[in-house]
Amino acid sequence: MLKSKTFLKKTRAGGVMKIVREHYLRDDIGCGAPGCAACGGAHEGPALEPQPQDPASSLCPQPHYLLPDTNVLLHQIDVLEDPAIRNVIVLQTVLQEVRNRSAPVYKRIRDVTNNQEKHFYTFTNEHHRETYVEQEQGENANDRNDRAIRVAAKWYNEHLKKMSADNHLQVIFITNDRKNKEKAAEEGIPAFTCEEYVKSLTANPELIDRLACLSEEVNEIESGKIIFSEHLPLSKLQQGIKSGTYLQGTFRASRENYLEATVWIHGDNEENKEIILQGLKHLNRAVHEDIVAVELLPKSQWVAPSSVVLQDEAQNEEDVEKEEERERMLKTAVSEKMLKPTGRVVGIIKRNWRPYCGMLSKSDIKESRRHLFTPADKRIPRIRIETRQASTLEGRRIIVAIDGWPRNSRYPNGHFVRNLGDVGEKETETEVLLLEHDVPHQPFSQAVLSFLPKMPWSITEKDMKNREDLRHLCICSVDPPGCTDIDDALHCRELENGNLEVGVHIADVSHFIRPGNALDQESARRGTTVYLCEKRIDMVPELLSSNLCSLKCDVDRLAFSCIWEMNHNAEILKTKFTKSVINSKASLTYAEAQLRIDSANMNDDITTSLRGLNKLAKILKKRRIEKGALTLSSPEVRFHMDSETHDPIDLQTKELRETNSMVEEFMLLANISVAKKIHEEFSEHALLRKHPAPPPSNYEILVKAARSRNLEIKTDTAKSLAESLDRAESPTFPYLNTLLRILATRCMMQAVYFCSGMDNDFHHYGLASPIYTHFTSPIRRYADVIVHRLLAVAVGADCTYPELTDKHKLADICKNLNFRHKMAQYAQRASVAFHTQLFFKSKGIVSEEAYILFVRKNAIVVLIPKYGLEGTVFFEEKDKPNPRLIYDDEIPSLKIEDTVFHVFDKVKVKIMLDSSNLQHQKIRMSLVEPQIPGISIPTDTSNTDLNGPEKKKIKLGK
């Protein structure tokens, strides 16, 4: 049966277009119940159970299926995901509404429907002849959809009666809409609210904790005192933003001070790019990363950013009076030039809440169900939840979601989502850091895995089309030990004309990941592989990352090759890009490759190739540095793990060899060559990578630190910086140059991906290259997959597709990639920090030499070369008399009593783990040498337990 749907659409030019679409109605769509005689049991995807037994409900004891409306799906997804909830009918009407209103919930519900154990069935009611309803005159879309859901629920109950005479199966309609529920009852449809149904599941009381509390009135604090001003409606906010009365921006809460935040204004508002907010009432219930509307306050009310560290330590959620006293602490006398544009939040444009990890702060009131949850992220406010499991959840990491924030509640309301495990346990803490840094780490879905090649896999004749056979070449790979995702391999050989042929061969990942399929979409979403200390979160499934795409030795593999003809002075004479098939002759570690190069007894083809590569790499590096490329430094650490417990037993800085530099040089050269090629072919659509030059103010700390050692650092160009760093050496202090390079690294801007048609500045400051991209690591970076596709089209090895030449879509991809790379870096640092804590937990208190990197007003930041570890030594302690401190920002220096500390001074510190705050365990450092009475700790504290009764003996920072 054919019907037509008509709707109006506004065009870009402002006109109105009438669109008519054909709408087919069928009578062969299955109900999803196995063995249903009425529809022949026809169904697609996972089916419902024939006689559902669980969960047992006191409201509806007979077997039943659930049919939720849109709002239940949107707001109670945590309940629906619970293993206890099975046999749910998800209507097409509901699914479409969810898709339009919340992409994250839509993805979660799709994952649940794909899980066969859950027995969720998607029923296409909009195309079923008996359940399709047309919008009536005067009926809005929302009411029409509510009616369509009720029609489907009624049809199901009548339809299931036809299965057999003794069948007692029911379909229960779940809705929190009072009017919808009343209409359902009038129409003879069994209907309950989500809360009524969940509370009827007597065997699953824990499900009540997962209910989202949506009624703000019910959860308001009994006092009823209004704390916050009302948020303006969206229509008023949009008018105000348009007229310039309000400004729109992203709310960024402070880690150090819960009463302070900044709003980064969107658009080209150069005058007020960043607005400061101070005080609870001005923050007005905004949460970190929300999109907000702010009103600028008069200049007489502008404030300066506070230097006070304030953590929310209130024991009582109703204790609002103390806040005003704390807010007065923020307003100290400052000079007018320190005042910043100041504002207040008048409304929320978009909430960006996510599930939060943290710990329960159990209420002091016995038998209380209402408790405060303290998030691990200090930028997130505490959340009030109701739970009957408080005793079980104490001392555990849990996840909580925010449901709302009433005007008269000091904290937002939320609900318990799940228990992650005991605090401090390796698996639990790893899960926390992945969740907190938004690293997608769930197992790949069946939909994604379905696009992998079927095993056993081999190269076919079709695969060889537009591909060169390079299996005869002496190609090898050089990687860190234990590497299984080998992206790149190299070769070097002498040609008959006396020149050299050098090849960089990169795994042809784009051959396996085709544009637009589920595997491609998931790889694009993940953006990058994340390397933790003991775990790798792959961007692509393991079959590709560690097998079919990995350029392992002695197996045929598909590659994308960049081959140069060079003279012996490493000057490029010709460049060729080709898809290829290779067979690597050796998979070496950096150390093994170095041994071959250095060994006088080895002269085989692989070793000869490596020596040729190494010789050229040295010339390339020298030339690159002459152009102004920077050689910076950052202390990287490597953990040695116990083979049984997998706990860190040793911690060392990574050793870099010549072969590290050799591989790096050719990867850089390949990336630059490919960048030039794709930009020639796609001037508007090339995916490139740039590194902006830092503003001069970034270098102040480096210049001042060098000056304190009578050294001059020039920062007007990258070349002058590189040259002055090379000259900055001290015969009596060899480590000084490394420290300067570490400081220089801190001055740098973040490198970012961008679309060539959306930017004019392509320059890569750190590499001193006018153009650059990423081509050499497609197994672990999605940017490289896009670059491979662009290059394949450029050399005629593959066909294009619309999204590849859509610069707006490419800009969106770049935005996600930049976010994912940043989060991956933070997650890696958090993993190193956690494993460092584990190491010092087992090692106890140790004393080591350190160098001062920065001096602060009340502390010094030190680097311990042995461990590549950085930490802060504080000189002020709570509840103790403060020492006499004189801070000089110009030198920079810090005088404590009669001892002066400068940047790069050598000191001795004690390192220990402070576990006094379970949620935020920290490495603490205390000064041992130089000896300052009342400040330096005695040297005989090796057996002191920081968590035991001796704690007061040790001088700890804040």
Side-chain angles (χ1 to χ4, degrees), residues 682-843:
F682 302 99
S683 60
E684 292 285 296
H685 313 112
L687 190 155
L688 302 174
R689 188 162 174 83
K690 68 172 182 176
H691 182 215
S697 59
N698 279 31
Y699 286 123
E700 276 182 17
I701 184 71
L702 174 67
V703 172
K704 285 177 182 176
R707 199 185 297 140
S708 71
R709 296 276 161 175
N710 298 317
L711 296 168
E712 186 185 14
I713 298 287
K714 291 185 176 175
T715 60
D716 46 330
T717 64
K719 186 171 169 60
S720 60
L721 173 63
E723 286 172 350
S724 52
L725 282 171
D726 286 342
R727 285 194 301 268
E729 290 193 339
S730 166
T732 57
F733 187 4
Y735 197 65
L736 176 65
N737 193 261
T738 304
L739 289 168
L740 282 165
R741 291 181 193 276
I742 289 169
L743 266 195
T745 307
R746 308 293 167 89
C747 303
M748 294 298 131
M749 305 290 283
Q750 186 73 42
V752 289
Y753 297 110
F754 69 102
C755 171
S756 59
M758 308 285 273
D759 210 320
N760 298 319
D761 176 22
F762 293 8
H763 191 74
H764 197 293
Y765 179 80
L767 297 173
S769 177
I771 194 166
Y772 191 67
T773 193
H774 272 161
F775 163 75
T776 54
S777 294
I779 294 176
R780 59 186 178 88
R781 291 190 304 233
Y782 187 75
D784 304 52
V785 175
I786 297 287
V787 169
H788 276 229
R789 289 174 182 168
L790 289 164
L791 185 62
V793 175
V795 300
D798 206 342
C799 51
T800 188
Y801 58 98
E803 285 80 8
L804 195 64
T805 51
D806 182 331
K807 63 183 182 183
H808 296 286
K809 289 232 169 101
L810 198 57
D812 286 342
I813 288 171
C814 290
K815 186 180 176 183
N816 179 57
L817 292 178
N818 290 330
F819 171 73
R820 292 293 180 205
H821 277 261
K822 184 172 73 174
M823 288 298 110
Q825 280 184 329
Y826 292 163
Q828 285 156 9
R829 285 176 200 165
S831 180
V832 169
F834 174 64
H835 280 79
T836 304
Q837 288 171 14
L838 286 181
F839 173 69
F840 284 107
K841 188 176 184 178
S842 61
K843 199 164 178 69

Side-chain angles (χ1 to χ4, degrees), residues 220-227 317-318 320-321 370 408-410:
E220 284 179 351
I221 297 168
E222 286 74 9
S223 69
K225 183 183 174 184
I226 300 294
I227 303 168
E317 61 193 84
E318 299 167 47
V320 182
E321 284 74 19
R370 186 179 280 178
N408 59 351
S409 172
R410 170 65 184 81

Side-chain angles (χ1 to χ4, degrees), residues 474-485:
C474 185
I475 293 169
C476 68
S477 63
V478 184
D479 289 283
C483 179
T484 59
D485 52 344

Side-chain angles (χ1 to χ4, degrees), residues 451-698:
F451 286 97
L452 292 173
K454 302 294 174 277
M455 297 301 284
W457 175 84
S458 61
I459 295 169
T460 64
E461 211 172 298
K462 188 184 171 188
D463 294 334
M464 291 303 294
K465 195 182 171 190
N466 299 322
R467 198 177 286 278
E468 274 193 52
D469 191 339
L470 303 179
R471 284 176 280 198
H472 61 285
L473 292 176
C474 185
I475 293 169
C476 68
S477 63
V478 184
D479 289 283
C483 179
T484 59
D485 52 344
I486 303 170
D487 285 290
D488 54 88
L490 301 153
H491 88 272
C492 175
R493 64 172 179 165
E494 193 156 345
L495 299 172
E496 288 178 2
N497 63 9
N499 289 329
L500 297 169
E501 180 188 84
V502 176
V504 166
H505 311 274
I506 306 299
D508 188 4
V509 178
S510 63
H511 173 84
F512 297 96
I513 301 180
R514 302 311 295 165
N517 68 22
L519 175 57
D520 182 44
Q521 288 171 0
E522 182 61 19
S523 305
R525 185 174 81 92
R526 294 185 177 218
T528 179
T529 292
V530 181
Y531 295 90
L532 306 180
C533 291
E534 254 197 298
K535 193 175 186 176
R536 189 179 81 201
I537 314 296
D538 282 328
M539 181 185 83
V540 298
E542 193 177 15
L543 179 65
L544 297 183
S545 67
S546 296
N547 189 349
L548 302 185
C549 290
S550 186
L551 305 182
K552 299 187 285 190
C553 61
D554 303 323
V555 287
D556 293 349
R557 287 290 177 259
L558 301 179
F560 210 148
S561 300
C562 173
I563 299 169
W564 303 279
E565 184 178 330
M566 291 181 175
N567 60 25
H568 287 264
N569 197 31
E571 290 163 336
I572 298 169
L573 307 172
K574 285 181 195 169
T575 306
K576 179 172 78 171
F577 304 102
T578 178
K579 291 231 174 183
S580 60
V581 56
I582 67 168
N583 187 301
S584 171
K585 304 301 182 275
S587 298
L588 306 172
T589 65
Y590 290 117
E592 287 167 347
Q594 194 67 54
L595 280 171
R596 280 176 174 266
I597 290 168
D598 296 341
S599 172
N601 303 324
M602 298 188 82
N603 292 295
D604 57 279
D605 288 349
I606 294 169
T607 307
T608 305
S609 176
L610 287 169
R611 285 183 186 137
L613 289 165
N614 197 41
K615 186 183 168 190
L616 291 169
K618 286 177 180 176
I619 300 167
L620 287 168
K621 185 172 185 177
K622 184 171 180 285
R623 193 174 297 148
R624 208 165 48 78
I625 288 168
E626 282 168 0
K627 284 182 182 173
L630 298 172
T631 308
L632 300 177
S633 182
S634 62
E636 286 191 76
V637 297
R638 180 182 293 282
F639 292 95
H640 295 273
M641 302 294 182
D642 185 289
S643 57
E644 288 181 16
T645 64
H646 297 284
D647 284 338
I649 50 174
D650 198 8
L651 176 60
Q652 293 175 341
T653 49
K654 289 183 184 176
E655 186 184 346
L656 296 177
R657 296 177 172 85
E658 251 183 27
T659 43
N660 291 76
S661 179
M662 176 190 81
V663 172
E664 184 187 8
E665 284 308 315
F666 287 107
M667 297 306 115
L668 293 175
L669 191 62
N671 286 335
I672 292 167
S673 297
V674 170
K676 288 175 183 171
K677 179 68 177 175
I678 61 172
H679 185 246
E680 276 170 23
E681 294 290 329
F682 302 99
S683 60
E684 292 285 296
H685 313 112
L687 190 155
L688 302 174
R689 188 162 174 83
K690 68 172 182 176
H691 182 215
S697 59
N698 279 31

Side-chain angles (χ1 to χ4, degrees), residues 383-416:
I383 302 162
R384 189 177 66 208
I385 67 167
E386 289 197 23
T387 177
R388 293 151 182 77
Q389 309 174 62
S391 300
T392 314
L393 299 178
E394 227 182 342
R396 300 195 141 215
R397 293 279 195 185
I398 63 172
I399 297 178
V400 162
I402 297 178
D403 299 322
W405 197 338
R407 287 176 63 196
N408 59 351
S409 172
R410 170 65 184 81
Y411 298 109
N413 295 325
H415 65 273
F416 167 77

